[in-house]
Amino acid sequence: VFDYFAGEILAHATPAHRRVLMLTAAAPWITGRLARIASGDPGAPRVLEYLHRRHLFTDRRQGPEITYHYHTLFRDFLRARAAQELPDDERAAGAASVARALEDDGYREEAVPLYLEARDFASAARLVLSEAPHLHAQGRARMLLAWIAAIPPPVVTGHPWLAYWAGATEVWSDPGRARARLQQAFDGFVAAGDRDGQVLAAGAITRVWILS
């Protein structure tokens, strides 16, 4: 039933408006400015406001900048349709442009999934590494691990700190896997001549052995 009503919204939208809806669904929330960035359509903010005023699965929230939030099911529907109807490179370009804007605005955590969706793994890895210390300190291991798991293994191999943070978050939950990741990180630090990394990885490996 939901897909039917959501489909009716797209069926009555112009091709340009359909494209705006599908491209803006990549982000967890969207602003008029970000909608223009994602789609390149100057009229994109009017599409968001129209949906809100017609109560079409879109919530508008006040703040320093007005944000629009699609109903979760509506967003999932739009993302599925985007995968069917839009070329991969167009979806990637839209996600990457929004990710850069969010990062510039200080929304670094929100930017990471968009970089991953855009397959800009270098930018994703850079942000993950910058966010990892405080995420680990806050006990938000699940998010950190999910981000690292979404980065291709060759990229992780080239960034021993990614392997280190993955292992450090799994010391308690999966000591065996943590030990393997930390050993990978240690070897990478040795190859890179990173003594600080070697010390941290060795200490974490010692803790794993004690726990296991």
Side-chain angles (χ1 to χ4, degrees), residues 156-200:
V156 176
T157 300
H159 292 275
W161 280 106
L162 289 176
Y164 169 79
W165 287 115
T169 59
E170 292 183 308
V171 167
W172 296 97
S173 60
D174 191 342
R177 184 171 176 82
R179 186 163 56 247
R181 288 183 182 273
L182 291 167
Q183 185 62 57
Q184 176 189 350
F186 182 84
D187 294 341
F189 290 138
V190 170
D194 187 335
R195 293 187 177 276
D196 290 340
Q198 292 174 49
V199 171
L200 286 174

Side-chain angles (χ1 to χ4, degrees), residues 13-194:
T14 66
H17 290 174
R18 289 168 61 92
R19 180 174 174 275
V20 167
L21 293 175
M22 290 186 286
L23 288 175
T24 54
W29 45 262
I30 201 77
T31 66
R33 177 176 58 89
L34 291 177
R36 286 194 297 269
I37 290 173
S39 64
D41 186 339
R46 292 194 296 271
V47 178
L48 302 177
E49 186 62 19
Y50 174 86
L51 291 177
H52 166 69
R53 290 186 179 279
R54 295 298 181 93
H55 306 289
L56 297 175
F57 311 123
T58 306
D59 182 34
R60 184 179 65 182
R61 302 179 190 176
Q62 297 292 334
E65 192 173 9
I66 292 175
T67 59
Y68 296 87
H69 301 249
Y70 294 137
H71 184 287
T72 301
L73 291 178
F74 186 45
R75 182 179 175 226
D76 290 345
F77 172 85
L78 291 174
R79 286 169 58 84
R81 292 297 289 267
Q84 296 173 3
E85 298 184 19
L86 298 179
D88 291 346
D89 58 349
E90 185 175 3
R91 288 188 290 114
S97 61
V98 174
R100 288 190 292 269
L102 286 172
E103 182 181 358
D104 290 343
D105 290 345
Y107 296 103
R108 302 166 70 85
E109 290 184 20
E110 290 82 357
V112 172
L114 289 166
Y115 277 131
L116 291 171
E117 183 158 339
R119 303 185 67 79
D120 184 350
F121 298 118
S123 295
R126 173 176 52 78
L127 275 190
V128 170
L129 290 174
S130 71
E131 297 301 295
H134 81 261
L135 288 177
H136 183 259
Q138 294 169 358
R140 299 164 69 189
R142 183 173 298 180
M143 176 183 289
L144 182 55
L145 284 172
W147 285 351
I148 296 173
I151 299 174
V155 178
V156 176
T157 300
H159 292 275
W161 280 106
L162 289 176
Y164 169 79
W165 287 115
T169 59
E170 292 183 308
V171 167
W172 296 97
S173 60
D174 191 342
R177 184 171 176 82
R179 186 163 56 247
R181 288 183 182 273
L182 291 167
Q183 185 62 57
Q184 176 189 350
F186 182 84
D187 294 341
F189 290 138
V190 170
D194 187 335

